[in-house]
Every structure is written in C-alpha cells, then in structure tokens.
Amino acid sequence: RRLRRWGYCDFCSLYQPPNAAHCPDCNVCIEGYDHHCPWMGTCIGEGNMTAFMSFNFSWLSYLLYAFIWVSALGPKSTQSTIN
C-alpha cells in the first residue's frame, strides 16, 4: 500500500519516493529535490541541505568581510585645496 504513493521514474527505471524528483543534470533521482547547484556541482536535496546552507553562509560571510575590509582600508578620497 505504501508503494502506491511512489512514482516510477522513466529515466532511472526505478521507483522513487513521493517527494523525489529526477535531476536532468546529474541524471539521478534525488529525495527532497530542491535544485541543481552549479557552484557545488551537485543536486540539493534532503541529504545535503545542511552542507548547502553552510556553503551559503561561508560565502556570504566572506562577502561581508571583504566589504568591511575594503570600506575600512580602501582608498580614501582626499580633498586638495587649490592655493
């Protein structure tokens, strides 16, 4: 009875769970499929959502650090007086 909710994937020739989807980039079925991430080079699903969130946090932290670094130590505009 539980198999009735499962769908059949024509690409993989396997039964997939109700919340799974086939990724055309990886050519596999992913449970809890969200999207294919080109920067991580893999599909994002239930199994690696924590790694994906950590990846996003790390590059956003670096972006914030770089912005603060450039704004604090970047070129300062100097006003010269003409005499």
Side-chain angles (χ1 to χ4, degrees):
R1 181 171 185 143
R2 286 181 45 190
L3 287 178
R4 289 185 187 174
R5 292 181 287 165
W6 286 43
Y8 187 77
C9 179
D10 292 328
F11 297 106
C12 294
S13 299
L14 297 171
Y15 284 97
Q16 62 184 0
N19 61 345
H22 186 84
C23 177
D25 295 319
C26 294
N27 201 27
V28 294
C29 288
I30 305 294
E31 188 170 3
Y33 179 77
D34 188 53
H35 68 283
H36 182 84
C37 180
W39 294 281
M40 289 183 69
T42 187
C43 294
I44 306 303
E46 285 181 11
N48 62 351
M49 187 60 76
T50 304
F52 177 67
M53 296 305 281
S54 299
F55 171 75
N56 282 335
F57 178 74
S58 67
W59 75 262
L60 285 173
S61 298
Y62 176 73
L63 185 66
L64 180 64
Y65 170 77
F67 178 75
I68 292 170
W69 179 266
V70 168
S71 64
L73 299 175
K76 306 284 187 216
S77 63
T78 59
Q79 295 181 357
S80 60
T81 57
I82 300 176
N83 291 333

Coordinates of all heavy atoms in Angstrom, one line a residue:
R1 N 0.8 -1.2 0.0 CA 0.0 0.0 0.0 C 0.9 1.3 0.0 O 0.5 2.3 -0.6 CB -0.9 -0.1 1.2 CG -1.8 1.1 1.3 CD -2.9 1.0 2.3 NE -3.7 2.2 2.2 CZ -5.0 2.2 2.4 NH1 -5.6 1.1 2.7 NH2 -5.7 3.2 2.2
R2 N 2.0 1.2 0.7 CA 2.9 2.4 0.7 C 3.5 2.7 -0.7 O 3.9 3.8 -1.0 CB 4.0 2.2 1.7 CG 3.5 2.3 3.2 CD 4.5 2.2 4.2 NE 5.8 2.9 3.8 CZ 6.9 2.8 4.4 NH1 7.0 1.9 5.4 NH2 7.9 3.4 4.1
L3 N 3.6 1.7 -1.5 CA 4.2 1.8 -2.8 C 3.3 2.6 -3.8 O 3.8 3.1 -4.8 CB 4.6 0.5 -3.4 CG 5.8 -0.2 -2.8 CD1 6.0 -1.5 -3.5 CD2 7.0 0.7 -2.9
R4 N 2.0 2.7 -3.4 CA 1.1 3.4 -4.3 C 1.5 4.9 -4.4 O 1.2 5.5 -5.4 CB -0.3 3.3 -3.8 CG -0.9 1.9 -4.0 CD -2.3 1.9 -3.6 NE -2.8 0.5 -3.7 CZ -3.9 0.1 -3.3 NH1 -4.8 1.0 -2.8 NH2 -4.3 -1.2 -3.3
R5 N 2.0 5.5 -3.4 CA 2.4 6.9 -3.4 C 3.7 7.1 -4.1 O 4.0 8.2 -4.5 CB 2.5 7.4 -2.0 CG 1.2 7.5 -1.3 CD 1.4 8.0 0.1 NE 2.0 7.0 0.9 CZ 2.5 7.2 2.1 NH1 2.5 8.4 2.6 NH2 3.1 6.2 2.8
W6 N 4.5 6.1 -4.3 CA 5.7 6.2 -5.0 C 5.5 6.3 -6.5 O 4.6 5.7 -7.1 CB 6.6 5.0 -4.7 CG 7.2 5.0 -3.3 CD1 6.6 5.3 -2.2 CD2 8.5 4.7 -3.0 NE1 7.4 5.2 -1.1 CE2 8.6 4.9 -1.5 CE3 9.7 4.3 -3.7 CZ2 9.8 4.6 -0.9 CZ3 10.8 4.1 -3.0 CH2 10.9 4.3 -1.6
G7 N 6.3 7.1 -7.2 CA 6.2 7.2 -8.6 C 7.3 6.4 -9.3 O 8.3 6.1 -8.7
Y8 N 7.1 6.2 -10.6 CA 8.1 5.5 -11.4 C 8.8 6.5 -12.2 O 8.2 7.3 -12.9 CB 7.4 4.4 -12.2 CG 8.4 3.5 -12.9 CD1 9.0 2.5 -12.3 CD2 8.7 3.7 -14.3 CE1 9.9 1.7 -12.9 CE2 9.6 2.9 -15.0 CZ 10.2 1.9 -14.3 OH 11.1 1.1 -14.9
C9 N 10.1 6.4 -12.2 CA 11.0 7.3 -13.0 C 11.3 6.6 -14.3 O 12.0 5.6 -14.2 CB 12.2 7.7 -12.2 SG 13.3 8.8 -13.1
D10 N 10.9 7.2 -15.4 CA 11.2 6.6 -16.7 C 12.7 6.7 -17.0 O 13.2 5.9 -17.7 CB 10.4 7.2 -17.8 CG 8.9 6.9 -17.6 OD1 8.6 5.8 -17.1 OD2 8.1 7.8 -17.9
F11 N 13.4 7.7 -16.5 CA 14.8 7.9 -16.8 C 15.7 6.9 -16.0 O 16.6 6.3 -16.6 CB 15.2 9.3 -16.5 CG 14.5 10.3 -17.3 CD1 13.5 11.1 -16.7 CD2 14.8 10.5 -18.6 CE1 12.9 12.1 -17.5 CE2 14.1 11.5 -19.4 CZ 13.2 12.2 -18.8
C12 N 15.4 6.7 -14.8 CA 16.2 5.8 -13.9 C 15.7 4.4 -13.9 O 16.4 3.5 -13.5 CB 16.2 6.3 -12.5 SG 17.0 7.9 -12.2
S13 N 14.5 4.2 -14.4 CA 13.8 2.9 -14.3 C 13.7 2.3 -12.9 O 13.9 1.1 -12.7 CB 14.5 1.9 -15.2 OG 14.5 2.3 -16.6
L14 N 13.4 3.2 -12.0 CA 13.3 2.8 -10.6 C 12.1 3.5 -10.0 O 11.6 4.6 -10.5 CB 14.5 3.3 -9.8 CG 15.8 2.6 -10.1 CD1 17.0 3.3 -9.4 CD2 15.8 1.1 -9.8
Y15 N 11.6 3.0 -8.9 CA 10.5 3.7 -8.1 C 11.2 4.7 -7.2 O 12.2 4.5 -6.6 CB 9.7 2.7 -7.3 CG 8.7 1.9 -8.1 CD1 9.0 0.7 -8.6 CD2 7.5 2.5 -8.5 CE1 8.2 -0.1 -9.4 CE2 6.6 1.8 -9.3 CZ 6.9 0.5 -9.7 OH 6.1 -0.2 -10.5
Q16 N 10.6 5.9 -7.2 CA 11.1 7.0 -6.4 C 10.1 7.4 -5.3 O 8.9 7.3 -5.5 CB 11.5 8.2 -7.2 CG 10.3 8.8 -8.0 CD 10.8 9.9 -8.9 OE1 12.0 10.2 -9.0 NE2 9.9 10.5 -9.6
P17 N 10.6 7.9 -4.2 CA 9.7 8.3 -3.1 C 8.8 9.5 -3.5 O 9.1 10.1 -4.5 CB 10.7 8.8 -2.0 CG 12.0 8.1 -2.3 CD 12.0 8.0 -3.8
P18 N 7.7 9.7 -2.8 CA 6.8 10.8 -3.2 C 7.4 12.2 -3.4 O 7.0 12.9 -4.2 CB 5.7 10.8 -2.1 CG 5.9 9.5 -1.4 CD 7.3 9.0 -1.6
N19 N 8.4 12.5 -2.6 CA 9.0 13.8 -2.6 C 10.3 13.9 -3.4 O 11.0 14.8 -3.3 CB 9.2 14.4 -1.2 CG 10.2 13.6 -0.4 OD1 10.5 12.4 -0.8 ND2 10.7 14.1 0.7
A20 N 10.5 12.9 -4.2 CA 11.8 12.8 -5.1 C 11.5 13.3 -6.5 O 10.3 13.4 -6.9 CB 12.3 11.4 -5.1
A21 N 12.5 13.8 -7.1 CA 12.4 14.2 -8.5 C 13.7 13.8 -9.2 O 14.8 13.6 -8.6 CB 12.2 15.7 -8.5
H22 N 13.6 13.8 -10.5 CA 14.8 13.4 -11.3 C 15.5 14.7 -11.7 O 14.9 15.6 -12.2 CB 14.3 12.7 -12.6 CG 15.5 12.1 -13.4 ND1 16.1 10.9 -13.1 CD2 16.1 12.7 -14.5 CE1 17.0 10.8 -14.0 NE2 17.1 11.8 -14.8
C23 N 16.8 14.7 -11.5 CA 17.7 15.8 -11.9 C 18.2 15.5 -13.3 O 19.0 14.5 -13.5 CB 18.8 16.0 -10.9 SG 19.9 17.3 -11.4
P24 N 17.9 16.4 -14.3 CA 18.5 16.1 -15.6 C 20.0 16.4 -15.7 O 20.6 15.8 -16.6 CB 17.7 17.1 -16.5 CG 17.2 18.1 -15.6 CD 17.0 17.5 -14.2
D25 N 20.5 17.2 -14.8 CA 22.0 17.5 -14.9 C 22.8 16.3 -14.3 O 23.8 16.0 -14.9 CB 22.3 18.7 -14.1 CG 21.7 20.0 -14.6 OD1 21.7 20.1 -15.9 OD2 21.1 20.8 -13.9
C26 N 22.4 15.7 -13.2 CA 23.1 14.6 -12.6 C 22.6 13.2 -13.1 O 23.3 12.2 -13.0 CB 22.9 14.6 -11.1 SG 23.7 16.0 -10.3
N27 N 21.4 13.2 -13.7 CA 20.8 12.0 -14.2 C 20.5 11.0 -13.1 O 20.7 9.8 -13.3 CB 21.6 11.4 -15.4 CG 20.8 10.5 -16.2 OD1 19.5 10.7 -16.3 ND2 21.4 9.5 -16.8
V28 N 20.1 11.5 -12.0 CA 19.7 10.6 -10.8 C 18.4 11.2 -10.2 O 18.1 12.3 -10.4 CB 20.8 10.5 -9.8 CG1 22.0 9.7 -10.3 CG2 21.2 11.8 -9.2
C29 N 17.7 10.3 -9.4 CA 16.6 10.8 -8.7 C 17.1 11.2 -7.3 O 17.8 10.4 -6.6 CB 15.5 9.7 -8.6 SG 14.7 9.4 -10.1
I30 N 16.6 12.3 -6.8 CA 17.1 12.9 -5.5 C 15.9 13.0 -4.6 O 14.9 13.7 -5.0 CB 17.7 14.3 -5.7 CG1 18.9 14.2 -6.7 CG2 18.2 14.8 -4.4 CD1 20.0 13.4 -6.2
E31 N 15.9 12.5 -3.4 CA 14.9 12.6 -2.5 C 14.9 14.0 -1.9 O 15.9 14.5 -1.4 CB 15.0 11.5 -1.4 CG 13.8 11.5 -0.4 CD 13.8 10.3 0.5 OE1 14.8 9.6 0.5 OE2 12.8 10.2 1.2
G32 N 13.7 14.6 -1.9 CA 13.6 16.0 -1.4 C 14.3 17.0 -2.3 O 14.8 18.0 -1.9
Y33 N 14.3 16.7 -3.6 CA 15.0 17.5 -4.6 C 14.6 19.0 -4.5 O 13.4 19.3 -4.5 CB 14.7 17.0 -6.0 CG 15.4 17.7 -7.1 CD1 16.7 17.6 -7.4 CD2 14.6 18.6 -7.9 CE1 17.3 18.2 -8.4 CE2 15.2 19.3 -9.0 CZ 16.6 19.1 -9.2 OH 17.1 19.8 -10.3
D34 N 15.5 19.9 -4.4 CA 15.3 21.3 -4.4 C 15.7 21.9 -5.7 O 15.0 22.6 -6.4 CB 16.0 22.0 -3.2 CG 15.6 23.4 -3.0 OD1 14.4 23.7 -3.0 OD2 16.5 24.3 -3.0
H35 N 17.0 21.8 -6.0 CA 17.6 22.3 -7.3 C 19.0 21.7 -7.5 O 19.5 21.1 -6.7 CB 17.6 23.8 -7.3 CG 18.6 24.4 -6.3 ND1 18.4 24.5 -5.0 CD2 19.9 24.9 -6.6 CE1 19.5 25.0 -4.4 NE2 20.4 25.3 -5.3
H36 N 19.5 22.0 -8.7 CA 20.9 21.6 -9.0 C 21.7 22.8 -8.8 O 21.5 23.8 -9.5 CB 21.0 21.0 -10.4 CG 22.4 20.6 -10.8 ND1 22.8 19.3 -10.4 CD2 23.4 21.2 -11.3 CE1 24.1 19.2 -10.8 NE2 24.5 20.3 -11.4
C37 N 22.7 22.7 -8.0 CA 23.6 23.8 -7.7 C 24.9 23.8 -8.5 O 25.7 22.9 -8.4 CB 24.0 23.9 -6.2 SG 25.0 25.3 -5.8
P38 N 25.1 24.7 -9.5 CA 26.3 24.6 -10.3 C 27.6 25.0 -9.5 O 28.6 24.5 -9.9 CB 26.0 25.7 -11.4 CG 25.0 26.6 -10.8 CD 24.2 25.8 -9.9
W39 N 27.5 25.7 -8.4 CA 28.6 26.1 -7.7 C 29.1 24.9 -6.8 O 30.3 24.8 -6.6 CB 28.4 27.3 -6.8 CG 28.1 28.5 -7.7 CD1 29.1 29.3 -8.3 CD2 26.9 29.1 -8.0 NE1 28.5 30.3 -9.0 CE2 27.1 30.2 -8.9 CE3 25.6 28.7 -7.7 CZ2 26.1 30.9 -9.4 CZ3 24.5 29.5 -8.3 CH2 24.8 30.6 -9.1
M40 N 28.2 24.1 -6.3 CA 28.6 23.0 -5.5 C 28.8 21.8 -6.4 O 29.4 20.8 -6.1 CB 27.6 22.6 -4.5 CG 27.6 23.6 -3.3 SD 26.4 23.2 -2.0 CE 27.2 21.8 -1.3
G41 N 28.2 21.8 -7.6 CA 28.4 20.7 -8.6 C 27.5 19.5 -8.3 O 27.9 18.4 -8.7
T42 N 26.5 19.7 -7.6 CA 25.6 18.6 -7.2 C 24.2 19.0 -7.0 O 23.9 20.2 -7.0 CB 26.1 17.9 -5.9 OG1 25.4 16.8 -5.6 CG2 26.0 18.9 -4.7
C43 N 23.3 18.1 -6.8 CA 21.9 18.4 -6.6 C 21.7 18.7 -5.1 O 22.4 18.1 -4.2 CB 21.0 17.2 -6.9 SG 21.0 16.8 -8.7
I44 N 20.8 19.6 -4.8 CA 20.5 19.9 -3.4 C 19.2 19.2 -3.1 O 18.2 19.4 -3.7 CB 20.4 21.4 -3.2 CG1 21.6 22.1 -3.7 CG2 20.1 21.8 -1.8 CD1 22.9 21.7 -3.1
G45 N 19.2 18.4 -2.0 CA 18.0 17.7 -1.6 C 18.1 17.5 0.0 O 18.8 18.2 0.6
E46 N 17.3 16.6 0.5 CA 17.2 16.4 1.9 C 18.6 16.0 2.5 O 18.9 16.4 3.6 CB 16.2 15.3 2.3 CG 14.8 15.7 2.1 CD 13.8 14.6 2.5 OE1 14.3 13.6 3.1 OE2 12.6 14.8 2.2
G47 N 19.4 15.2 1.8 CA 20.6 14.7 2.3 C 21.7 15.7 2.5 O 22.6 15.5 3.3
N48 N 21.7 16.8 1.7 CA 22.8 17.7 1.8 C 22.4 19.2 1.9 O 23.1 20.1 1.6 CB 23.7 17.6 0.6 CG 23.0 17.9 -0.7 OD1 21.8 18.0 -0.8 ND2 23.8 17.9 -1.8
M49 N 21.2 19.4 2.5 CA 20.7 20.7 2.7 C 21.5 21.5 3.7 O 21.8 22.7 3.6 CB 19.2 20.7 3.1 CG 18.6 22.1 3.2 SD 18.6 23.0 1.6 CE 17.3 22.2 0.7
T50 N 22.0 20.8 4.7 CA 22.9 21.4 5.7 C 24.2 21.9 5.1 O 24.7 23.0 5.4 CB 23.1 20.4 6.9 OG1 21.9 20.0 7.4 CG2 23.9 21.1 8.0
A51 N 24.8 21.0 4.3 CA 26.0 21.4 3.6 C 25.8 22.6 2.7 O 26.6 23.5 2.6 CB 26.6 20.3 2.8
F52 N 24.6 22.7 2.0 CA 24.3 23.8 1.1 C 24.1 25.1 1.9 O 24.6 26.1 1.5 CB 23.0 23.5 0.3 CG 22.6 24.6 -0.6 CD1 23.3 24.9 -1.7 CD2 21.4 25.2 -0.3 CE1 22.9 26.0 -2.5 CE2 21.0 26.3 -1.1 CZ 21.7 26.6 -2.2
M53 N 23.5 25.0 3.1 CA 23.3 26.2 3.9 C 24.6 26.7 4.5 O 24.9 27.8 4.6 CB 22.3 25.9 5.0 CG 20.9 25.6 4.5 SD 20.2 26.9 3.4 CE 19.7 28.0 4.6
S54 N 25.5 25.7 4.8 CA 26.8 26.1 5.3 C 27.6 26.7 4.2 O 28.4 27.7 4.4 CB 27.6 24.8 5.8 OG 26.9 24.3 6.9
F55 N 27.5 26.2 3.0 CA 28.2 26.8 1.8 C 27.7 28.3 1.6 O 28.5 29.2 1.4 CB 27.9 26.0 0.6 CG 28.4 26.6 -0.7 CD1 29.7 26.6 -1.0 CD2 27.5 27.1 -1.6 CE1 30.2 27.2 -2.2 CE2 27.9 27.7 -2.8 CZ 29.2 27.7 -3.1
N56 N 26.4 28.5 1.7 CA 25.9 29.8 1.5 C 26.3 30.8 2.6 O 26.7 31.9 2.4 CB 24.3 29.8 1.4 CG 23.8 29.4 0.1 OD1 24.5 29.5 -0.9 ND2 22.7 28.8 0.1
F57 N 26.3 30.3 3.9 CA 26.8 31.1 5.0 C 28.2 31.5 4.8 O 28.6 32.6 5.1 CB 26.5 30.3 6.3 CG 27.0 31.1 7.5 CD1 26.3 32.2 8.0 CD2 28.2 30.7 8.1 CE1 26.8 32.9 9.1 CE2 28.7 31.4 9.2 CZ 28.0 32.5 9.7
S58 N 29.1 30.6 4.4 CA 30.5 30.8 4.2 C 30.8 31.9 3.2 O 31.6 32.8 3.4 CB 31.3 29.5 3.9 OG 31.0 29.1 2.7
W59 N 30.2 31.8 2.0 CA 30.5 32.8 1.0 C 29.8 34.2 1.3 O 30.4 35.2 1.0 CB 30.2 32.4 -0.4 CG 28.7 32.3 -0.8 CD1 27.9 31.3 -0.9 CD2 28.0 33.4 -1.3 NE1 26.7 31.6 -1.3 CE2 26.7 32.9 -1.6 CE3 28.2 34.8 -1.6 CZ2 25.7 33.7 -2.1 CZ3 27.2 35.6 -2.1 CH2 25.9 35.0 -2.3
L60 N 28.7 34.2 2.0 CA 28.1 35.4 2.5 C 29.0 36.1 3.6 O 29.1 37.3 3.6 CB 26.7 35.2 2.9 CG 25.7 35.0 1.8 CD1 24.3 34.7 2.4 CD2 25.5 36.2 0.9
S61 N 29.5 35.3 4.4 CA 30.4 35.8 5.5 C 31.7 36.4 4.8 O 32.1 37.5 5.2 CB 30.8 34.7 6.4 OG 29.7 34.2 7.1
Y62 N 32.2 35.7 3.8 CA 33.4 36.2 3.1 C 33.1 37.5 2.4 O 33.9 38.5 2.4 CB 34.0 35.2 2.1 CG 35.1 35.8 1.4 CD1 36.3 35.9 2.0 CD2 34.9 36.2 0.1 CE1 37.4 36.5 1.3 CE2 36.0 36.7 -0.7 CZ 37.2 36.9 0.0 OH 38.3 37.4 -0.7
L63 N 31.9 37.6 1.8 CA 31.5 38.8 1.1 C 31.4 40.0 2.1 O 31.8 41.1 1.8 CB 30.2 38.6 0.4 CG 29.7 39.7 -0.5 CD1 30.6 39.9 -1.7 CD2 28.2 39.4 -1.0
L64 N 30.8 39.8 3.2 CA 30.7 40.8 4.3 C 32.0 41.2 4.7 O 32.3 42.4 4.9 CB 29.8 40.3 5.4 CG 29.6 41.3 6.6 CD1 28.8 42.5 6.1 CD2 28.9 40.6 7.7
Y65 N 32.9 40.2 5.0 CA 34.3 40.5 5.4 C 35.0 41.4 4.4 O 35.7 42.4 4.7 CB 35.0 39.2 5.7 CG 36.5 39.4 5.9 CD1 37.0 39.9 7.1 CD2 37.4 39.1 4.9 CE1 38.4 40.1 7.3 CE2 38.8 39.3 5.1 CZ 39.2 39.8 6.3 OH 40.6 39.9 6.5
A66 N 34.9 41.0 3.1 CA 35.6 41.8 2.0 C 35.0 43.2 1.9 O 35.8 44.1 1.8 CB 35.4 41.0 0.7
F67 N 33.7 43.3 2.1 CA 33.1 44.7 2.0 C 33.6 45.5 3.2 O 33.9 46.7 3.0 CB 31.6 44.6 2.0 CG 30.9 45.9 2.0 CD1 30.8 46.6 0.9 CD2 30.3 46.4 3.2 CE1 30.2 47.8 0.8 CE2 29.7 47.6 3.2 CZ 29.6 48.3 2.0
I68 N 33.6 45.0 4.4 CA 34.1 45.8 5.5 C 35.6 46.1 5.4 O 36.0 47.2 5.6 CB 33.9 45.0 6.8 CG1 32.4 44.9 7.1 CG2 34.6 45.6 8.0 CD1 32.0 44.0 8.2
W69 N 36.4 45.1 4.9 CA 37.8 45.4 4.7 C 38.0 46.5 3.7 O 38.9 47.4 3.9 CB 38.5 44.1 4.2 CG 39.9 44.2 3.9 CD1 40.5 44.4 2.8 CD2 41.0 44.1 4.9 NE1 41.9 44.5 2.9 CE2 42.2 44.3 4.2 CE3 41.0 43.8 6.3 CZ2 43.4 44.2 4.9 CZ3 42.2 43.8 6.9 CH2 43.4 44.0 6.2
V70 N 37.3 46.5 2.6 CA 37.5 47.5 1.5 C 37.0 48.8 2.0 O 37.6 49.9 1.8 CB 36.8 47.1 0.2 CG1 36.8 48.2 -0.8 CG2 37.6 45.9 -0.4
S71 N 35.9 48.9 2.7 CA 35.4 50.2 3.2 C 36.2 50.8 4.3 O 36.4 52.0 4.4 CB 33.9 50.0 3.6 OG 33.9 49.2 4.7
A72 N 36.9 49.9 5.1 CA 37.7 50.4 6.2 C 39.1 50.8 5.7 O 39.7 51.8 6.1 CB 37.8 49.4 7.3
L73 N 39.7 50.0 4.8 CA 41.1 50.2 4.4 C 41.2 50.7 2.9 O 42.3 50.8 2.5 CB 41.9 49.0 4.6 CG 42.0 48.5 6.1 CD1 42.7 47.2 6.2 CD2 42.6 49.5 7.0
G74 N 40.1 50.8 2.3 CA 40.2 51.2 0.9 C 40.7 52.6 0.6 O 41.0 53.3 1.5
P75 N 40.7 53.0 -0.6 CA 41.2 54.3 -0.9 C 40.3 55.4 -0.3 O 39.1 55.3 -0.4 CB 41.2 54.4 -2.5 CG 40.3 53.2 -2.9 CD 40.3 52.2 -1.8
K76 N 41.0 56.3 0.3 CA 40.3 57.4 0.9 C 40.3 58.6 -0.1 O 41.2 58.9 -0.8 CB 40.9 57.9 2.2 CG 41.1 56.8 3.2 CD 39.8 56.4 3.8 CE 40.1 55.4 4.9 NZ 39.1 54.5 5.1
S77 N 39.2 59.3 -0.2 CA 39.1 60.5 -1.0 C 39.7 61.6 -0.3 O 39.3 61.9 0.8 CB 37.7 60.7 -1.5 OG 36.9 61.1 -0.3
T78 N 40.7 62.2 -0.9 CA 41.3 63.4 -0.2 C 40.9 64.6 -1.0 O 40.9 64.7 -2.2 CB 42.8 63.3 -0.2 OG1 43.3 63.1 -1.6 CG2 43.3 62.1 0.6
Q79 N 40.6 65.7 -0.3 CA 40.3 66.9 -0.9 C 41.5 67.8 -0.9 O 42.0 68.1 0.2 CB 39.1 67.6 -0.2 CG 37.8 66.8 -0.3 CD 36.7 67.5 0.4 OE1 36.8 68.5 1.0 NE2 35.5 66.9 0.3
S80 N 41.9 68.2 -2.0 CA 43.1 69.1 -2.0 C 42.6 70.5 -2.2 O 41.6 70.8 -2.9 CB 44.0 68.7 -3.2 OG 43.3 68.8 -4.4
T81 N 43.3 71.4 -1.5 CA 42.9 72.8 -1.6 C 43.8 73.4 -2.7 O 44.9 73.2 -2.8 CB 43.1 73.5 -0.3 OG1 44.4 73.4 0.1 CG2 42.2 72.9 0.8
I82 N 43.2 74.3 -3.4 CA 43.9 75.0 -4.5 C 44.3 76.4 -4.0 O 43.5 77.1 -3.5 CB 43.0 75.1 -5.8 CG1 42.6 73.7 -6.3 CG2 43.8 75.9 -6.8 CD1 41.7 73.8 -7.4
N83 N 45.6 76.6 -4.0 CA 46.1 77.9 -3.5 C 46.6 78.7 -4.6 O 47.3 78.4 -5.5 CB 47.2 77.7 -2.4 CG 46.5 77.2 -1.1 OD1 45.4 77.4 -0.9 ND2 47.3 76.5 -0.3

